């Protein structure tokens, strides 16, 4: 696949923006050093990764952002506009730590905003991998956690781990190397897209947004003959 759209989901402070930078191989998303969400609105960036264009959509924390629910819903709609006609994958991000009711609430909200169908397009990804014991895998770490097991089952057993700080240049242990984990993640997403017959996730809201974008694109084409298709698309998304 020549292009891939990936939405990153998770609560504030789990390292979503750092993860996006790790996947893209450069610092394009702003990183916060406080417990507050640095990402107040959905933002997308596209870079070449393993020979294809990868667009990452970084989202506001789905839990504990301190923002009203209605405002958060509006941000999710913005996310849907950014990834129209639909994402090929969702990354559901957690830290390597105790899996509590707060983490479960993230799963509940994904179900609420995107439906159960979204998990067919999802991969679970843990950050702070350096908190694993020596030679321990992420599957071993959560072996006896029923909530994590249930989530992984929903996501077809797809699970990866990175450490945005300590695994950047690890040459001694493939598993504890971000470069290795990102390559494995891309393979996992490729296999998932293949299993989903090349389709991207969609719902009624995404379909409605895509229709509006296409109508806006046609208006822009008629009024301006010297813009590229990429420029037309970006302008149309801003107008919707």
């Amino acid at each position: 696949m020549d292009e891939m759209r990936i939405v990153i989901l998770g609560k504030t402070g789990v390292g979503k923006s750092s993860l996006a930078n790790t996947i893209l191989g450069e610092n394009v998303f702003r990183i916060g050093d406080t417990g507050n969400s640095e990402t107040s609105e959905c933002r997308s960036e596209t870079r070449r990764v393993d020979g294809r264009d990868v667009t990452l959509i970084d989202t506001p924390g789905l839990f504990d952002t301190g923002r009203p629910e209605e405002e958060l819903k509006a941000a999710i709609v913005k996310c849907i506009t950014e990834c129209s006609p639909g994402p090929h994958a969702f990354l559901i991000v957690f830290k390597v730590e105790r899996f509590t009711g707060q983490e479960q609430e993230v799963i509940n909200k994904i179900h609420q905003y995107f439906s159960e169908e979204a998990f067919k397009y999802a991969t679970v990804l843990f950050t702070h991998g350096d908190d694993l014991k020596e030679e321990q895998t992420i599957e071993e770490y959560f072996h006896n956690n029923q909530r994590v097991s249930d989530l992984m089952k929903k996501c077809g057993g797809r699970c990866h781990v990175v450490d945005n700080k300590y695994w950047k240049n690890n040459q001694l242990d493939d598993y504890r190397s971000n470069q290795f984990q990102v390559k494995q993640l891309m393979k996992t997403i490729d296999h998932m897209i293949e299993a989903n017959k090349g389709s991207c996730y969609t719902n009624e809201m995404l379909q409605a947004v895509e229709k509006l974008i296409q109508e806006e694109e046609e208006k822009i084409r008629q009024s301006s003959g010297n813009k590229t298709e990429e420029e037309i698309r970006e302008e149309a998304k801003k107008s919707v």
Side-chain angles (χ1 to χ4, degrees):
M1 178 166 284
D2 292 335
E3 63 170 353
M4 189 184 284
R5 293 180 298 278
I6 303 171
V7 174
I8 303 176
L9 302 170
K11 70 178 185 179
T12 298
V14 296
K16 295 189 301 297
S17 299
S18 294
L19 169 64
N21 290 338
T22 294
I23 292 171
L24 296 181
E26 57 181 288
N27 294 326
V28 292
F29 290 97
R30 184 180 172 189
I31 310 301
D33 56 6
T34 69
N36 299 320
S37 178
E38 279 294 327
T39 308
S40 58
E41 283 193 2
C42 291
R43 183 186 161 201
S44 65
E45 291 286 348
T46 303
R47 295 291 187 277
R48 295 290 287 180
V49 179
D50 279 351
R52 94 282 299 279
D53 287 333
V54 173
T55 298
L56 293 183
I57 297 96
D58 190 14
T59 63
L62 286 184
F63 194 84
D64 196 23
T65 60
R67 294 197 296 163
E69 188 78 5
E70 288 306 310
E71 196 176 312
L72 189 54
K73 282 181 182 176
I76 297 299
V77 172
K78 173 77 161 52
C79 161
I80 281 174
T81 305
E82 285 292 332
C83 67
S84 185
H88 296 99
F90 293 99
L91 295 184
I92 306 175
V93 184
F94 301 101
K95 279 184 183 179
V96 172
E97 62 182 3
R98 275 186 68 234
F99 201 88
T100 67
Q102 286 191 355
E103 282 69 38
Q104 184 61 45
E105 184 64 20
V106 170
I107 299 168
N108 296 343
K109 288 200 173 188
I110 291 169
H111 186 280
Q112 176 187 340
Y113 291 131
F114 296 102
S115 83
E116 187 72 18
E117 181 77 3
F119 295 103
K120 280 175 56 181
Y121 297 82
T123 295
V124 185
L125 197 144
F126 290 91
T127 60
H128 294 74
D130 209 52
D131 288 340
L132 294 173
K133 293 177 183 175
E134 191 174 346
E135 296 188 3
Q136 186 180 39
T137 67
I138 192 64
E139 290 83 1
E140 289 166 348
Y141 182 85
F142 285 111
H143 177 65
N144 293 318
N145 190 302
Q146 192 58 49
R147 284 175 170 172
V148 177
S149 296
D150 290 345
L151 175 60
M152 287 188 188
K153 194 178 291 183
K154 279 177 187 273
C155 298
R158 295 178 290 271
C159 179
H160 291 275
V161 60
V162 300
D163 190 294
N164 298 315
K165 185 175 182 181
Y166 295 110
W167 290 7
K168 285 182 179 178
N169 301 304
N170 191 346
Q171 306 295 324
L172 302 176
D173 180 349
D174 270 352
Y175 190 83
R176 284 158 172 74
S177 159
N178 285 340
Q179 190 175 11
F180 172 81
Q181 288 289 347
V182 168
K183 279 187 178 296
Q184 294 303 110
L185 173 64
M186 290 295 117
K187 285 181 185 176
T188 294
I189 294 174
D190 279 334
H191 291 152
M192 182 178 66
I193 292 171
E194 195 176 316
N196 290 327
K197 299 179 180 176
S199 67
C200 55
Y201 167 80
T202 190
N203 59 19
E204 286 182 12
M205 189 185 293
L206 267 164
Q207 290 165 8
V209 167
E210 179 60 19
K211 186 180 178 186
L212 288 172
I213 290 172
Q214 289 179 3
E215 289 172 358
E216 198 63 33
E217 282 178 331
E218 195 53 42
K219 289 179 190 173
I220 296 167
R221 283 192 195 97
Q222 290 173 4
S223 62
S224 175
N226 59 354
K227 289 184 178 176
T228 66
E229 283 299 307
E230 189 175 334
E231 288 170 338
I232 290 170
R233 179 80 180 175
E234 284 306 307
E235 188 175 327
K237 285 193 329 192
K238 287 174 184 173
S239 300
V240 169

